Amino acid sequence: MHPAWSIIFFTSISGLGLGLAGLIVLGLLDLSLFSHLLIASFAVFGLIGAGLLSSTLHLGHPERAWRALSQWRSSWLSREGVLAVLVLASLACWFLFTLFFGPPPLWCGILILLMIVATVYATSMIYGSLKTVACWHHPLTPVCYLMFSACGGSVASLTMLALFGQPTPQMLKEITLTFLVGAWTLKYAWWWALDNRGSASNIETATGLGTIGKVRSLMPPHTSENYLQKEMGFVVARRHAIKLRYISIFFGALLPIVCVIFGGSSAGILSMATIFYIIGIFVERWLFFAEAKHVVTLYYGDEQLSISS
Amino acid sequence: MTSLPEPSAIKLGLVIDLDICVGCQACVVNCKEWNTSGYGAPLSDESAYGAQPSGSWLNRVHAFEAGVGEDAKTVHFPKSCLHCEDAPCVTACPTGASFKRAEDGIVLVNEDWCIGCGLCAWSCPYGAREMDPAEGVMKKCTLCVDRIYNENLPEEDRVPACVRTCPTSARHFGDFGDPNSDVSIMVAERGGYDLLPEQGTKPVNKYLPPRPRRQSNDESVSLLAMADAATPKGFWRWMDSTLEKLG
Amino acid sequence: MASEPHVETSPEVSDEIRQTTCYMCACRCGINVHVRDDKIRYIEGNRDHPINKGVLCAKGSAGIMQHYSPARLKQPMKRVGPRGSGEFEPISWDEALTIATDWLAPVREKDPKKLAFFTGRDQSQALTSWWAQQFGTPNFAAHGGFCSVNMAAGGIYTIGGAFWEFGAPDWDLTEMFVLFGVAEDHDSNPIKIGLGKVKGRGKRVVSVNPVQTGYAAISDDWYGITPGTDGLLIMSLIRELMRSGNIDVDYLRRYTNAPWLVIRNPGAADEGLFLRGADGEPQVIDRLTGAVISCKTKNVSAAMHGEVPLSSGGVATPVFMLMTETYMVDAYSPDTVASTVGISAARIRQFAADLADAAFAKEVVINQPWTDWKGEKHETMVGRPVSMHSMRGISAHSNGFQTCRALHVLQLMLGSIEVPGGWRFKPPYPKPPEAHPKPAGKPDQVQAGKPLTGAPLGYVLGPDDLLINSEGEPQRIDKAYSWDAPMAAHGLMHMVISNAVAGDPYHVDVLFMYMANMAWNSSMNTRGVMEMLTEKNSDTGEYKIPKLIYSDAYSSEMVAYADLILPDTTYLERHDAISLLDRPICEADAVADAIRWPVFPPDRDVRGFQSVLIDLGARLGLPGMVDEDGSPKYADYEDYIINHEREPGIGPLAGFRGNGEKSGRGEPNPGQIEAYKANGAFWHKDIPEEGRYYKMANMAYQEFAVEMGIYDTAQPYAFQIYSETLQKFHLAAEGHGNIQPPEHLRSRIKTCFTPLPTWYAPFEGEAVSDEEYPIHALTQRPMAMYHSWGSQNPWLRQIHGHNPMFIPQGLADDHGLSDGDWIWVTSHHGKIRVPVAIMAGLNEKTIWTWNAIGKRKGAWQLEEDAPEAKKGFLMNHLIKELLPAQADGQRWSNSDPITGQAAWFDLKVKIEKANPNEPAVASPQFPALPRMHAVDSEPVKTLRYGLQWTVKDKKVWRGK
Ligand SMILES: Nc1nc2c(c(=O)[nH]1)N[C@H]1C(S)=C(S)[C@@H](COP(=O)(O)OP(=O)(O)OC[C@H]3O[C@@H](n4cnc5c(=O)[nH]c(N)nc54)[C@H](O)[C@@H]3O)O[C@H]1N2
Ligand SMILES: Nc1nc2c(c(=O)[nH]1)N[C@H]1C(S)=C(S)[C@@H](COP(=O)(O)OP(=O)(O)OC[C@H]3O[C@@H](n4cnc5c(=O)[nH]c(N)nc54)[C@H](O)[C@@H]3O)O[C@H]1N2
Ligand code: SF4
Ligand code: SF4
Ligand code: SF4
Ligand code: SF4
Ligand code: SF4
Ligand SMILES: [Mo]
C-alpha cells in the first residue's frame, strides 16, 4: 500500500497524543501550575489535533469531512472520527475542570481513558478490518496500535514530568519499559505472522483460471499506471523492509529504553527518548503501509500475496 | 446508508464470458465515454497528452495466461464492479456516500457526499473503485443505472453501455435474483463462478470459464484412415466410385 | 437509519442523434452520434447497420477524442524551413490550390507519369483512381501493396473474391471456423460478432498463428505455427484429405476447374495451358461417353481423371490429376513438414480429421431450390460447414500469394466456398479476374496532356498485359506490373519513395500523397525513408523528390516532410461515399453502401480532401471535372457523389436513385444524400433467398447483380484451382513467347509462378543465415489502436502508450531475461533497443510486438517525454525494402515476387540482452519534431470531458 505521509503522521502522532492524554487524565502529572496545565493541554490537543488534521489532508474533499461522523454503525473510520471528537470534547472538559476546580475525580479519567482506548482501537480497526490486506487483517493489529499508543503516551509523559521538573517515578519508568518491550515484541510477532502466514487468495482464486494451469499476468489493462497501482501496488522490497524493521526497533525501542533506564530525570535525555521513539514509530508506520500487500495486486502482476525477496 | 440493506430480491449484475472475450477493450472505452459526460463528475485524465497519462476508468480488461507451451491459454479478463452482496466498500465508507440500493442491489457512490478518503477502494478486493484525479471523489461502475431504467432510451437500449457495445457478446446483464433469468441459467449451465470467493464479498457478477482445449481424439483422426485411398491406385478407385454415386 | 439518496435514473441523454459512418478504422461501422449543445455527448453503434449491428469497438467509442484532438491541422501550410524540420507557414486555401495547380499543370502537359499520386487507407479510390486516370498518370495506387494485396490477388485469381472484408463465414451455420494469421483485420466488428455467434453455438474455432492473443486466445485449438510456413501446413492438410477421400468431388467437378483439361507437352509453348475448343472454351472429358467437350456443356458429368492424346503432340489430362501428382507426395506428409512448420505430425493429422469431420459428417442442407448458370435445377443447397478467414499473417510474406491460393484450394477441396456453413462472398464479389479491367499504363497509354486510356490498377492475365516498354523495363514508378511484380494488383506504395529517389526507373516531379504516414510506420526502413525525403541532388541542390504535396488531418510524422499541406477534416466533418465501386459495406446476404456527412461543420480552415481533389481537377481542367465551358462540373464531393455517373445510371451510391425508389441503377437523385441520412447514413438491399449461396454459379444472384449495376451481364465462372495466368508467366520464364523476363529473374519466376499453389521458403529467411538470425519477428494490430492515428487519443494511449517485445520463455531462459529487461534486436538491416515481456502462448522461434505504437518525439502534439517516444518502438527500423544482395549482386525488393506485396513478416533477427547500464529508452531516437500549427499548440494537461454537462446535471443527486 502506498505509504501516504498524512496517514503515517496521523496514526503515529495522534496515537502518541492519545496515549499521553490517557496518562494525564489518570492524574499522572501535577498540573496545579497554570503554565503546566497550558503546556500539557497544548501538547495533547496539538498532537491529537495535528494528527486528525493531517488525516484530512489526503481527502479529495476535506470540506466535507464532517460527513465522516455519520456512519458509526458500520464504518470504523466513522467510529474513529466520532470517538475522537468525543475524546477531544471530554478532554476539553477535563482540562477546564482542572483549571477551575483542580483535578477531577479519577472515575472521570478512567472514563476518558476508556474512550481513548476505544478511539485507538477504532483507528487500528480501519486497517484491521480490511480483509483485502491480509497482513493488517490480524488480531495483533489493534493490539499493536494500542500498545504503541501506550508506549508513546508513557515515554511522552516521562518527558513531560522531566520537563516540568516533577519526579519521574520508577514505577512509571518500569511501566514504560514494559510497554516498550511489550509493544515491540508484539510488533515482532506481527511481523512474524506477516512473513509466515499464507493467504487464502492467490492469482488462481482471483481469476478462477487455476484449472487450466499455473496462472500469470500477461498484459496489464493499460500500459499507463492507474490509481489502483499507485495506491495499492506500492511494495517495499523485502531486503529493505528487513533493514527498516531493525531501524524502527533501534529507534523506537532500543534507544528509548536506554534513555529511560539511564536518563534519570534528565529532561534532555528523556526528550531524546520521545524523539527517538517518534522516529522509530514513523518508520514502523511507513512499513505498516509499505509492507502491506493488497489483494488487488493479484490482478496486476502478483501471483501470491507474500512479499517476495 | 452505509449499512447494507436487506438482500434484495432483484440482484442486477453482469455475466462475463471468458470463453468469448477477445480483449478488444470496446467495453472499457464505451463505458468511459458514456460515463465521462453522464452520471456524476467526468472521468478525468491527467497528463492526457504527456508523459504519464492516467485517468479514471470504471472497467478494465486484463490479460492472463495459464499453463505452458502448446497448452498455454491466453485469457482476456474484463473487470468492473461486481456489485457484491456483502460489499465491504459500502460498510467501510464513513460518510454514507457509498451505498447499495435496496431495490436492485446496485452499489453506487453519492458523489456529493464523498470525501475522497479512499477507504472503500481499499476495502474492495477487485480494484473496482478508482479515485478521480481531478474531482477527488470515488468513481465506480454504476451498472449504468442511468441507462437501464432510462425512459429516454429505447427499450432495447436499456442495458449497460458495455453490454450493448461488446462485439462478441461476452457480457450479459440481468437479474441474478431470478433463477429463471437468462443470466442465472447461463451461470448454472456453464459453471459460472465467483472471483476471490474467500474474501466473502459474495459478488453478484459471475464469470464463465473458458472452454477447455480439446485433447486429441483418436477416433476423429481415424477418419483419415478411411478407404483404401492411400495409394494412387486405390485413390482413383475411390474417386470413380464416388463419381458413380453422384451420377 | 437514513434512507437512500435519490438517483436520477432517466436523465436526458442528448438533444439529437446524428447518424453517420465511423472512421476510426476502415471497418466503417454505422454510428449514432448523440449531440448535446452541438458537442458530442456519446457515440454508439447503429443497431440497424449491416456491418456492426449496434456494437462499437474501442476505437469507435474513442471517436470523441479523435474528433477534438489537439493534433488536428487547422490551416493549409507551405514549407519554409528545410524538409523534415517541420517549419511551415500557414497560407490560404486559394494560395494552396494555386501552388498545387502551378506544380501539377506543367507535369500533365509534359509527361503526366511524373506525377506519382499515392493514397493510404483511402476509402474513395473510385474517385482518386478516376482522378489519376483523368490526369493521365499510371502512377497511382492506394495502400494495398504494402498491406494485403497477396490476399486480394490470391483470392481474385483463384476464387474471384478475397478474404479482407470482401467475404465472410456463414456465421450462423458454420461448424468449424479456422483463422490463419489474423489479429484484427478490417472487418473487425463483423468478425467479433461472428466469433461470438460461433462460440455461442458451441462450435469450434481454430487458430493458426504463431501468437496467441485476441481471436487466437478464444480458439478451441491453437496451432502456433512457425512464420512463413503455412503453405506447407495447408498442403499437408490437402494431402491428408485427398489420401483419405475427404474431398468434395462433386463440388470440385461442378464449380472449379479441377476437371478442365491441361495440355501436357513438356518443352512446348502450350505446355500447361488449358485445352480449348474452337470457341476458346476449356474442355473436359465426358465421363460417360469419353468425349472431349466444352466445360460449359449442360448436364455433363466431367471426368476427374483420364488422358486425351493431342494431335499437336503430348496429352491433356484433367487438372485434378495434376493435383494428385502434386500434393499426394511424401514431401507434404505430416511427418515431413512437422519440424519446419513447428507443429507435430499428430496434430496436423488431427487438424485434417477435424476439417473432414466438420465438412462431411456435419453437412448442412437448406431446402431452397435454385438454378445454376447452366440452367440445371437443384432442389437444395448443400453445405460443408467449414469456414476460414485469413489476412496478413499469410499475405505479409514473400510466399503469401501462393499460400493464399493454397488456402483457397483447401477450401475448395472441402467444397466450402459459397455454400451454407462455409465462407461466402459479399457483393460486388464474386467477380473473376476476367471481369476486372486490365491496368492501363503501357507506353502508348500515357500521353502528354491526355487522360490515361483506362484505370491505373487492374488484373493482368498474362505477360501481354504487363506495363513494360519494348526493353522490358517497368513503366510505373513502383515497378508494378513489371517482371519485378507482374500481378501487382494494388501497386507497390512501399517502393515509390526509394524508386523515385534512386531514379529507378525514373525520377518524378511531384509526389502527391494522401493519408499515409510514410515517414514513419507505413514505411520499411523508416530512417532511410526520412533521409531519402530530404536527399538533394548534388548538382542542382534540389530535393531528389522535388515537390511533395500531402494531405493529412493530423500532425503526423509525415507532415514534416511535405512541401505543401492540404489539411483534411475529421471523419465527422465531411462527406464520404462508401461505394459499391470501391470497398463497400455489403453482407453475404445483401448489397449495401453508406455515406459520411458533416455531422459537425469544420471549425477550422480545413477542407475534405475529396472536395479539394475535385477542385484541383477542375483547376487543371481534367476531363469529367469541368463542363464544356471549362467551369467546374462539381461544386464539391457531395455534388460529385450525387451527380457523377460512371456509366449511365451508375454512380458512387447505389441506393435511392431516380426519385429515391431505384436501387443499383437509376438517374442521379438530388435528394440522395438526404435520403441516406434519413436511413441512418446507409442503404442496403437483400439478395433474393434463391440467390444467397453459390453466387458464382447462381442465376438468381447473377441477375440480381446485373440489376444492381455490379456487372453489365451475368459473369458466372469456375474457381481456378489451376491458374493459367501463372502458367503463362511461367512459360515466358521458360523462354516462350516474345515477352520474357530479364535473365536475373527467370529462375525466380520459374520457381514461384506455378499454376498450382506451391510453397517456397520466405526470401529474407533464405537470404540471411539461420544461425546468425534464428528468430522470426512479427507485429500485430492492437484491437484498441489504429496504426499511428490512435496515439493522439488520450483514452486509447492509456491502453497502449508503449509496447514491449513479447518473447517466448525458452528465449528468455537462453538470454537470462525477465519481464521489463531491455534487449537489442538486430536484423540484417538494423538494430533496436526495446523492453521485453515473456509470453507462454508463443511459437518458440518467434518474438512480436504491437504495431505502430512507437512515435517520433514531438509528433501528434504529444509532449516530448511521452512514453510513445521513450519506450514505444517501431519494428520498421529492422525491415529493409531491399533484400541482401543475391549471388549475382542483384538486390530484390523485400516483396512477394508475384504481387509485390511488402513482406513485413519475413523478418529474421537475433537478440541480446542490453547492458544494464544503458538507458531504459527505446533506440533509435530521432530529433524531436516541433509542435505543428495544429489546433492546440499546448494541449490540456488534465482532461475532463463532459464537465459542462455534469456540472449542469448536478440534479442527479437529490440526497436528503
Ligand atoms: N512493421 C509493420 N509495419 C507496417 C505494418 C505491419 O504489420 N508491421 N502494416 C502495414 C500496413 S498493412 C498498413 S495499411 C500501413 C498503415 O500505415 P499508414 O497508412 O501510414 O497508416 P496510419 O498510421 O493510420 O497513417 C495514415 C495517416 O493518415 C492520417 N489520417 C488519419 N485520418 C485522416 C483523415 O481523415 N484524412 C487525412 N487526409 N488523413 C488522415 C493520419 O494522421 C496518418 O498520418 O502500415 C504498414 N506498416
Ligand atoms: N484495431 C485495428 N484494426 C485494424 C488495423 C489497426 O491498425 N488497428 N489495421 C487495419 C489494416 S490496415 C489491416 S491491413 C488489417 C490487418 O489485419 P490482420 O491481418 O489481423 O493484421 P496483423 O495484425 O498484422 O496480424 C497478422 C497476424 O498474423 C500472424 N502471423 C504473422 N506471421 C504469420 C504466419 O506466417 N502464419 C500465420 N498463420 N500467422 C502469422 C500474427 O501473429 C498476427 O496475429 O487490420 C486492419 N484493422
Ligand atoms: S466489487 Fe468492489 S466496489 Fe464493487 S461492490 Fe464489490 S467490493 Fe464494492
Ligand atoms: S472515498 Fe467516498 S465513497 Fe469511498 S469510502 Fe470515502 S467517502 Fe465513502
Ligand atoms: S455497467 Fe456501465 S458503468 Fe459498469 S462497466 Fe459497464 S458501462 Fe461501465
Ligand atoms: S467488449 Fe467484450 S470482447 Fe471486448 S474486451 Fe469487453 S468483454 Fe471482452
Ligand atoms: S471497427 Fe471500430 S473504429 Fe472501425 S469503423 Fe467500426 S467502430 Fe469504427
Ligand atoms: Mo493494411
Side-chain angles (χ1 to χ4, degrees), chain B residues 1 3 18-26 28-30 32-34 36-51 53-55 57 65 67-70 72-74 76 99-103 108-113 134-135 145-147 149-153 156-157 159 161 164-168 211 213-214 216-217 220-221 223-226 229-230 235-236 238-240 242-244 246-247, chain C residues 1-5 7 9-13 41-45 47 54-58 61-62 64 70 189 192-193 196 199 202-204 212-215 217-222 242-247 249-250 253 287 301 304-305 320-321 324 328 347 349-350 352-354 357 783 792 794-795 797-799 838-841 862-863 865-867 939-947 949-950 954 956-957 960:
Chain B
M1 250 323 286
S3 306
L18 297 179
D19 191 44
I20 297 188
C21 174
V22 294
C24 71
Q25 309 269 355
V28 173
V29 184
N30 204 276
K32 175 111 175 173
E33 72 150 344
W34 173 259
T36 191
S37 52
Y39 173 100
L43 293 168
S44 57
D45 303 287
E46 292 203 313
S47 185
Y49 302 94
S54 176
W57 301 72
E65 57 185 4
V68 288
E70 271 197 335
K73 176 113 185 142
T74 308
H76 298 286
F99 67 103
K100 186 170 174 74
R101 277 159 58 97
E103 59 177 293
L108 293 175
V109 172
N110 176 345
E111 293 178 9
D112 286 354
W113 289 6
E135 185 62 30
V145 68
D146 53 345
R147 290 183 63 90
Y149 301 111
N150 195 330
E151 281 155 21
N152 298 310
L153 289 175
E156 57 180 354
D157 282 346
V159 291
R164 188 195 185 290
T165 210
C166 173
T168 61
R211 290 197 297 226
R213 283 259 166 71
R214 186 265 316 271
S216 232
N217 160 357
S220 80
V221 176
L223 262 176
L224 296 181
M226 203 188 81
F235 178 72
W236 292 119
W238 168 82
M239 169 67 63
D240 284 337
T242 307
L243 282 170
E244 213 60 59
L246 294 167
Chain C
M1 193 194 283
S3 69
E4 268 180 32
V7 177
T9 55
S10 274
E12 286 284 351
V13 176
R41 155 67 179 94
Y42 179 57
I43 302 177
E44 70 191 352
R47 281 191 190 270
V55 308
L56 201 66
C57 82
S61 301
I64 303 179
N189 278 330
K192 293 189 191 81
I193 297 169
K199 298 278 297 191
K203 305 305 179 190
R204 183 178 293 285
Q212 197 196 109
T213 51
Y215 303 163
I218 62 161
S219 62
D220 297 285
D221 287 303
W222 170 62
M242 284 183 110
R243 273 163 49 90
S244 59
N246 282 299
I247 55 177
V249 176
D250 189 43
R253 192 178 50 152
R287 237 184 81 243
S301 169
M304 299 295 268
H305 76 126
F320 193 76
M321 281 184 73
T324 58
M328 283 176 67
R347 290 198 76 212
R349 289 198 183 91
Q350 177 73 60
D354 287 342
D357 181 54
M783 293 184 185
Q792 64 189 307
W795 293 348
R797 69 187 288 264
Q798 288 179 54
I799 301 174
I838 299 167
M839 179 176 188
L862 298 180
E863 286 168 23
D865 51 359
V940 295
K941 297 256 189 280
T942 301
L943 186 76
R944 307 181 72 190
Y945 190 78
L947 186 63
W949 301 316
T950 50
K954 269 281 161 128
V956 170
W957 293 112
K960 339 114 284 179

Side-chain angles (χ1 to χ4, degrees), chain C residues 147 183-185 209 228 230 391-393 397 780-782 785 787:
Chain C
C147 180
E184 168 72 345
D185 207 352
N209 196 319
D230 299 72
M391 203 50 189
R392 297 188 64 263
H397 289 286
Q780 295 200 102
R781 306 292 187 259
M785 262 292 165
H787 297 280

